[in-house]
Amino acid sequence: MAGSSLHSLIPPWQEDIGTNWAGNLHYSAKKLHRPQSVEEAQEIISQANKINTLGTRHSFSNIADCPEELLSTGAFNKVVKLDPKSMTVTVEAGIRYGELAIYLEENGFALHNLASLPHISVGGACATATHGSGDKNGNLASIVKAMEIIKADGNTVQLSDGDPDFSAAVVHLGALGVITKLTLAIQPTYQVQQEIFEHLPLDAAVEHFNDIFGSGYSVSFFTDWSKEEINQVWIKRRIDSKGKLPSLSEFYGASPATKNMHPIASVSAENCTDQMSVPGAWHERLPHFKLDFTPSNGEELQSEFFVPRSEAPNALLAIQSLNSQITPLLFISEVRSIAADDFWMSTAEGGDRIAFHFTWKPDWEGVQKVLPLLEKKLEPFSARPHWGKLFHMQAQEINDRYPKVEDFKSLARRYDPEGKFRNAFLTRNIFGAM
Ligand SMILES: Cc1cc2nc3c(=O)[nH]c(=O)nc-3n(C[C@H](O)[C@H](O)[C@H](O)COP(=O)(O)OP(=O)(O)OC[C@H]3O[C@@H](n4cnc5c(N)ncnc54)[C@H](O)[C@@H]3O)c2cc1C
């Protein structure tokens, strides 16, 4: 999966689809379709034997790959309808959050949350339960109100909140078909101010975990596990009255940052969103990185594991105990909170979750060795892996952690009876269980 460099082996009659964003995966598909209309996409899908959808290529796992054909949603990048009456926006699935956010802000509206960077497509993000942080914030899929899917036979289906298949279909892992449009809940625009504290003692993080994560609209820990402390706490507070909030001074033994920071303290903060309590629009504070900063491709790997909220302090200590194996392979870890939802295959299905994320150095050999150790440490907490990132566990373990997985498989078989969209990732991790 990672580290392949198949470029020179691709015969001239095949199309080279290239790699994912990180460069750790060379897509094995032989043809990339770029349909310009729903009708064209329907035709391509109905003719295909094996096909999958490609969003903005930000997954580290091979979830978006296919041995035969891929269909890019790149041309489906427009806002279809803004409806202030129902407080919804309908978008084509290939639009990136960054462009959608600017459009909404210009019209006086906002989304509830954003991921760490805004370059990801709405369709691809919702498919894998991509999330930001916030005790009261569900993942990005949690505001989906309706969607249009092209099924394996080429016919379209419209699903809305309340329809029997809706809760199964919102976080679908690419298994049901191609999503062409999504309707999302919006809210009036709001401002956010961002503050950072450094060197939070680990004891304080464990003891006051809930209070710390409750201290802002969106809170993240950044740490490299090298010491008995959390390197940085990022607190994004929402300002509904437009007035700046007084800066936080005392913070559980941590020190306030004296300048803008990057999550890795030694790296320049110029590409990071503004901090130091300077208020700004929601879309210029909720992501950690600016939209006009295009991150260089790759040079990193990522993994992430979700544990029930109540288990998070113990999970934090369990990971800390592996620091001698983790830290040498790591750029940085991030810890975030996600509110519960009821989407069958969502990592936050059934209860609030805390997500432990790892941005690894591009050393797949080393990461491959540490992942089973990490997963073993997190086994008592029934940790679920992020679908778009790298993990070791396989179908049986994963199936055991999703109570509705059999219903999801039945639904996938109904939408796609011949397994047109069933790729190696879905077989290994979902359908391969006994
Ligand atoms: C630098 C970086 C930062 C990240 N930050 C975060 C973060 O803050 N939080 C987080 O949770 N994750 C994060 N991720 C992971 C990322 O959000 C997910 O992997 C996401 O699914 C990527 O979306 P994409 O559009 O690139 O989809 P792809 O990777 O192209 O595809 C992902 C899946 O979605 C399916 N898909 C895509 N579009 C459609 C569609 N229209 N219809 C049907 N299926 C579709 C694909 O078939 C595949 O199954 C990050 C990744 C990177 C590289």
Side-chain angles (χ1 to χ4, degrees), residues 79-91 103-104 107 109 183-187:
V79 174
V80 178
K81 186 179 174 195
L82 178 67
D83 185 350
K85 220 165 150 204
S86 65
M87 287 302 275
T88 58
V89 65
T90 299
V91 295
Y103 170 85
L104 287 175
N107 286 280
F109 296 102
T183 299
L184 310 174
I186 53 173
Q187 48 185 282

Side-chain angles (χ1 to χ4, degrees), residues 21-22 27 52-61 63-65 70 73 93-94 114-117 119-132 172-175 177-180 182 288 295 300 302 304 306 334 336 357 386-389 423:
W21 174 88
Y27 294 107
N52 279 88
T53 320
L54 194 57
T56 44
R57 303 179 181 231
H58 277 73
S59 294
F60 294 81
S61 66
I63 187 168
D65 202 10
L70 282 172
T73 58
L114 289 166
S116 64
L117 93 173
H119 307 82
I120 297 168
S121 79
V122 173
C126 293
T128 63
T130 289
H131 62 96
H172 53 81
L173 318 179
V178 177
I179 314 302
T180 53
L182 293 139
H288 307 321
E300 67 182 55
Q302 295 188 8
E304 191 166 36
F306 299 74
E334 182 175 8
R336 288 178 278 185
H357 163 91
H386 192 305
W387 299 113
K389 301 185 183 178
N423 60 10

